[in-house]
Amino acid sequence: MSIIYTMLKVISVVITAAAMMFFYPNDAETHSVKDKENISLNFSVLSDAHIEGNNPETYKNFTKILYDVKNTDTKNDALVMLGDNTMNGQHIESIFFYGLEKVIAPADKIINVMGNHDTGNGNDVYDECLSKFIGYNNAFFDADIDEPYFYDIVNGYYFITLGSEEDGVDYCHMSLTQYEWLEDLLNEAAGQGKPVFVFNHHPYYLIDCEKSVSTLLNSYDDIFYFYGHTHWPINNYDTFTDHGNYVSVNLPRCTDILTEDGDETDDYSGVGLQVEVYEDEVVLRMRNFYDGGWLEEYERTYSLAE
């Protein structure tokens, strides 16, 4: 299996590199973090790229977004994609999605979360699509994963990725095994005295599990939970939610163009998040990665527990 995906990686890089002659970056100036001297972790979060086999517009939009993620004068430690990276979990879609990430190399570490569209969107092809998800991530980014859930340590900070273990659309189906794995990791990470970052395609309220994941997250200080799936544009009501000890952040579809009333416009295309971690605070900065520019109204700063 690894040989097949190694071959697909070569094919993907060649095809993607050729296609990129027709895809261009935006004209934005190089961007920077707020405090270059004191930052300890810097990473980007985007969701719902929905790279679609017969829709080259999604390739073009995603290319421009990745170029802007990379267009920084401060090292970008990681890019996290929150799932529904492809529309149907097809090889042609994965070839372009992973190929663009590989060729553009927008950050030191690439982490891809699995979404319901990546596993067939309820069409009874979960096992086949999960195998593709694992195969592509392991071949392209040496991820060494064997489940839809896994973790990484980036600059000493825990990045915990959750994933559904069953076919479906509306819910992340989490086994008790995954829940206990998460609990053990949070116990381990909490002792480090640093914020912990948890990623899932589905919202915290759409996790189907015997035990409450939201209650578990709220048992620890300085937990940040990022999710997509909803395609809701950013706003001051649903995007950031303070649960007490943890904060959840909902990211819109990054390759879509939507306003709050559903009419098409250029206002929200390419919206994602830049996360800056300092000694005593975490700064969340919304950015339009398609056009290039900060959405300052949606910047949030959270003080860390002492």
Side-chain angles (χ1 to χ4, degrees):
M1 184 66 72
S2 60
I3 296 176
I4 294 174
Y5 284 98
T6 299
M7 292 174 59
L8 284 169
K9 181 173 77 170
V10 174
I11 294 170
S12 172
V13 168
V14 171
I15 292 176
T16 303
M20 283 175 58
M21 294 191 308
F22 305 97
F23 304 150
Y24 306 102
N26 60 36
D27 296 323
E29 295 181 0
T30 299
H31 56 90
S32 182
V33 299
K34 298 182 78 68
D35 184 354
K36 293 173 65 173
E37 297 300 319
N38 294 301
I39 193 166
S40 55
L41 178 68
N42 180 39
F43 67 95
S44 308
V45 188
L46 292 156
S47 192
D48 294 85
H50 284 284
I51 299 301
E52 190 170 9
N54 61 355
N55 185 359
E57 278 295 304
T58 59
Y59 311 161
K60 182 179 73 173
N61 290 352
F62 191 51
T63 299
K64 192 166 289 191
I65 288 166
L66 292 183
Y67 271 130
D68 194 75
V69 170
K70 187 173 184 176
N71 185 25
T72 175
D73 62 5
T74 308
K75 183 172 74 77
N76 203 354
D77 296 303
L79 166 65
V80 182
M81 296 298 304
L82 291 176
D84 281 4
N85 308 312
T86 63
M87 182 63 80
N88 305 293
Q90 297 173 345
H91 279 299
I92 185 62
E93 296 168 342
S94 297
I95 280 173
F96 277 100
F97 174 77
Y98 292 100
L100 287 169
E101 288 185 323
K102 188 69 176 179
V103 172
I104 296 175
D108 286 357
K109 179 77 174 179
I110 305 291
I111 299 172
N112 295 307
V113 180
M114 187 183 73
N116 50 285
H117 275 270
D118 301 311
T119 53
N121 205 34
N123 288 318
D124 271 339
V125 288
Y126 175 88
D127 290 342
E128 174 189 343
C129 288
L130 174 61
S131 179
K132 289 180 185 177
F133 175 80
I134 292 171
Y136 276 101
N137 280 283
N138 287 350
F140 278 67
F141 303 113
D142 299 321
D144 193 27
I145 61 176
D146 56 11
E147 299 285 355
Y149 55 94
F150 50 92
Y151 79 100
D152 297 88
I153 298 178
V154 181
N155 280 17
Y157 294 85
Y158 279 72
F159 282 46
I160 302 175
T161 298
L162 308 179
S164 183
E165 296 172 76
E166 297 179 17
D167 194 20
V169 176
D170 296 327
Y171 290 91
C172 170
H173 298 281
M174 180 184 292
S175 67
L176 195 56
T177 298
Q178 183 177 172
Y179 177 94
E180 292 172 347
W181 169 87
L182 173 61
E183 184 175 32
D184 288 343
L185 264 181
L186 290 173
N187 284 330
E188 179 181 313
Q192 307 298 314
K194 297 178 178 179
V196 178
F197 304 101
V198 181
F199 309 96
N200 194 6
H201 178 65
H202 286 84
Y204 58 92
Y205 52 83
L206 292 180
I207 298 177
D208 178 21
C209 184
E210 291 181 37
K211 296 185 177 181
S212 169
V213 173
S214 185
T215 300
L216 176 63
L217 296 175
N218 217 18
S219 302
Y220 304 87
D221 292 328
D222 301 330
I223 306 295
F224 292 84
Y225 179 94
F226 304 93
Y227 66 94
H229 185 65
T230 67
H231 292 201
W232 292 338
I234 56 173
N235 57 65
N236 283 311
Y237 309 102
D238 310 295
T239 299
F240 304 95
T241 304
D242 191 335
H243 299 266
N245 288 338
Y246 86 95
V247 172
S248 63
V249 186
N250 179 19
L251 275 295
R253 176 178 174 178
C254 71
T255 53
D256 210 0
I257 305 173
L258 292 174
T259 61
E260 293 183 29
D261 60 6
D263 294 332
E264 291 195 356
T265 178
D266 289 335
D267 289 350
Y268 289 99
S269 180
V271 171
L273 187 67
Q274 197 69 30
V275 181
E276 301 177 12
V277 182
Y278 300 95
E279 182 178 2
D280 56 1
E281 65 183 19
V282 173
V283 181
L284 306 181
R285 305 177 70 193
M286 285 291 181
R287 181 173 176 83
N288 184 325
F289 288 101
Y290 182 84
D291 291 331
W294 300 109
L295 304 175
E296 296 181 0
E297 177 185 355
Y298 301 103
E299 181 176 311
R300 299 291 186 273
T301 299
Y302 296 92
S303 298
L304 299 174
E306 295 182 0

